[in-house]
Amino acid sequence: MSVAHRHMPSLSAWLHLSGFPCWLKLVLAGCHFHCDVVCYVHNHIFDDTSLILRKGIRHYARQGDRVLDLGTGHVGLLAVYCARAHGAQVVAVDVNQEFLENARLVARASQVPDIDFVQSDWFSRVEGTFDLIVGNIPYVPSDRRQFLRHVNDYPEVWDGGSGGTTQVRKVLTDVHRFLRPSGLFLMGLNVDCVPRDTILGLIDSSEHIELQTTLKSLISRSEVYVIAASNQA
Ligand SMILES: C[S@@+](CC[C@H](N)C(=O)[O-])C[C@H]1O[C@@H](n2cnc3c(N)ncnc32)[C@H](O)[C@@H]1O
């Protein structure tokens, strides 16, 4: 029996596999994320990692914070939520230009046109430092194709490479350089895809970052790792 089958189906699996109507996902994006999804590129609107990241943002974001959303996606969901619900100044990056153009339209419709959408390979074109960095980084191992079915045309949405950690490793290598002294990085992952010990090992092996706490979900196996720049860095 595979690891995924030992647990209850996660909310995202249910959303994607049960034929959950797209219009209902759009309504939920409006209610939960204050995001008016007037247009989209593919039908992945949010998942349970986005939901637990929202919980982290609600807890840690402060009015006026400078926030970076890593991998904002085609609707810029977390970026819109940070700007609209928490009055943050948001920079939102993605590698896919088509996603960014769509997210700009969504942000305008959601009354937060000031979000700075930047095409960037993670931090390659990011400038300055941030109070809060959030990221739903692709973490599905490349050989777990069944997870990727619903976004086959856009593998960059979920494909985390070998063991699901290729993109996570890149982000963890550089994130400390973009955090303000009391800044935090909220990294969302699903432990059915990347085991918790692997994630903790990656964080622990970096001299530049340290884990402050972990946020868990009541409805899924997605977790948020709350990471700070280490004092010795
Ligand atoms: C799992 S989706 C997250 C979307 C959205 N933030 C959410 O929570 O629903 C991951 C996003 O990371 C983007 N991405 C993948 N590789 C990237 C890279 N090298 N640099 C920046 N963004 C990347 C993908 O295009 C995709 O939009």
Side-chain angles (χ1 to χ4, degrees):
M1 184 181 277
S2 75
V3 175
H5 292 148
R6 271 189 246 131
H7 307 288
M8 291 281 289
S10 68
L11 178 63
S12 67
W14 189 72
L15 291 179
H16 294 303
L17 301 177
S18 69
F20 197 78
C22 195
W23 66 264
L24 201 41
K25 290 187 223 167
L26 303 182
V27 170
L28 288 174
C31 300
H32 280 290
F33 295 94
H34 303 224
C35 192
D36 191 355
V37 185
V38 288
C39 47
Y40 51 92
V41 177
H42 53 76
N43 71 359
H44 169 82
I45 305 297
F46 67 88
D47 68 329
D48 39 31
T49 307
S50 331
L51 284 170
I52 181 85
L53 276 165
R54 172 186 175 272
K55 179 175 168 184
I57 293 166
R58 222 176 54 212
H59 189 75
Y60 291 105
R62 303 279 172 263
Q63 178 78 23
D65 272 359
R66 187 161 194 253
V67 175
L68 173 64
D69 180 19
L70 289 171
T72 194
H74 64 133
V75 296
L77 188 85
L78 298 175
V80 167
Y81 179 66
C82 289
R84 198 161 171 195
H86 298 281
Q89 306 161 47
V90 183
V91 177
V93 302
D94 205 286
V95 74
N96 184 315
Q97 182 64 33
E98 184 187 3
F99 291 179
L100 293 169
E101 280 162 20
N102 194 79
R104 252 183 224 116
L105 297 175
V106 171
R108 212 170 295 153
S110 306
Q111 297 155 36
V112 280
D114 294 339
I115 294 173
D116 188 10
F117 289 101
V118 179
Q119 186 180 23
S120 179
D121 180 1
W122 300 130
F123 298 100
S124 67
R125 295 188 57 221
V126 172
E127 290 176 4
T129 55
F130 297 85
D131 301 292
L132 196 62
I133 300 178
V134 300
N136 184 355
I137 311 299
Y139 52 70
V140 179
S142 298
D143 56 4
R144 304 266 295 268
R145 289 279 168 216
Q146 76 275 19
F147 274 85
L148 306 173
R149 247 186 336 199
H150 60 284
V151 281
N152 263 344
D153 293 342
Y154 300 99
E156 65 272 42
V157 174
W158 284 118
D159 194 341
S162 169
T165 59
T166 304
Q167 302 305 327
V168 171
R169 285 172 196 271
K170 288 183 191 170
V171 169
L172 288 179
T173 299
D174 288 328
V175 69
H176 66 281
R177 296 194 291 113
F178 297 88
L179 285 170
R180 290 184 171 167
S182 58
L184 294 173
F185 171 37
L186 309 184
M187 180 174 72
L189 288 175
N190 186 306
V191 296
D192 277 342
C193 292
V194 183
R196 187 178 299 125
D197 285 352
T198 302
I199 304 162
L200 297 181
L202 289 174
I203 298 169
D204 213 36
S205 65
S206 167
E207 58 178 317
H208 298 296
I209 53 174
E210 59 192 27
L211 182 69
Q212 294 224 327
T213 189
T214 306
L215 308 178
K216 297 193 175 156
S217 168
L218 295 174
I219 56 168
S220 77
R221 302 269 294 160
S222 289
E223 300 186 346
V224 166
Y225 298 85
V226 181
I227 295 165
S230 121
N231 289 333
Q232 301 116 44

